[in-house]
Amino acid sequence: RDPVVAVVPARHRLAGREVIDLASLASETWIAAPEAALRLELLSQMAKTPGFQARLQYEGDDFNTVLGFVAAGLCVAVMPRLALPRTHTQVVARPLAEPRLTRFIYAVRIDTRHTPRAVLDLEGMLAAQALAALS
C-alpha cells in the first residue's frame, strides 16, 4: 500500500499544515500525470465540495515532471508517496484528509508448484524496499 499525498510548493499557504484536505485546494491550478497519478476528474467527487473544479493547467509524463512544475510554484498535485524523492526541499508532501487515498502495488507471477528461489528473493526485496521507503 502506498499512500497518496498532496504535493504543494514549499512556500505554499498550506505547506505548514500537518494534513491537507482536497477542498482547501479547490481553487488551485493542478498538474496531472495520467499514467502515473490520480486522475483529476475524480478529485471533485472526493473533495465533496460544491463548486470544486480541479483546474488542469499542465500534464506531465512522469513524476519528475510533476515535481518540477510543483517546485516552480506553477501548480499542485497528488502523488503516491513512494514517487517522492527523500530529499526535495522545493516541495512539501502532506497526507490527505478524508477520504484517504491509497495506491496498491502488486507483484504478479505464475502460480507454479515450485517457485524459483530468485522469484521469491525478488518478491522479498521489493516488499522490503517498499516498507523502508514508507517508514
Side-chain angles (χ1 to χ4, degrees):
R1 291 185 170 99
D2 183 12
V4 174
V5 295
V7 183
V8 299
R11 295 183 183 199
H12 191 275
R13 62 185 170 80
L14 301 175
R17 290 195 182 172
E18 294 283 323
V19 174
I20 295 177
D21 70 39
L22 287 173
S24 65
L25 297 171
S27 62
E28 299 289 337
T29 299
W30 290 79
I31 183 169
E35 298 301 318
L38 185 68
R39 294 177 181 255
L40 292 180
E41 56 269 11
L42 299 177
L43 292 176
S44 59
Q45 294 172 16
M46 292 181 294
K48 297 180 182 170
T49 301
F52 182 101
Q53 181 146 7
R55 201 174 53 218
L56 177 61
Q57 186 70 31
Y58 307 104
E59 189 170 315
D61 288 336
D62 60 37
F63 292 130
N64 288 326
T65 301
V66 171
L67 285 171
F69 274 70
V70 174
L74 299 172
C75 51
V76 298
V78 289
M79 296 176 61
R81 195 166 90 183
L82 284 174
L84 299 168
R86 289 196 182 268
T87 56
H88 199 304
T89 58
Q90 297 171 315
V91 301
V92 172
R94 296 290 183 252
L96 290 168
E98 296 300 326
R100 301 222 173 191
L101 304 174
T102 303
R103 174 177 75 156
F104 292 89
I105 302 171
Y106 298 93
V108 180
R109 62 177 167 82
I110 296 173
D111 187 16
T112 61
R113 227 174 181 183
H114 303 287
T115 304
R117 184 77 202 156
V119 172
L120 293 174
D121 289 347
L122 176 61
E123 288 175 345
M125 289 186 316
L126 290 172
Q129 288 295 316
L131 288 173
L134 292 174
S135 59

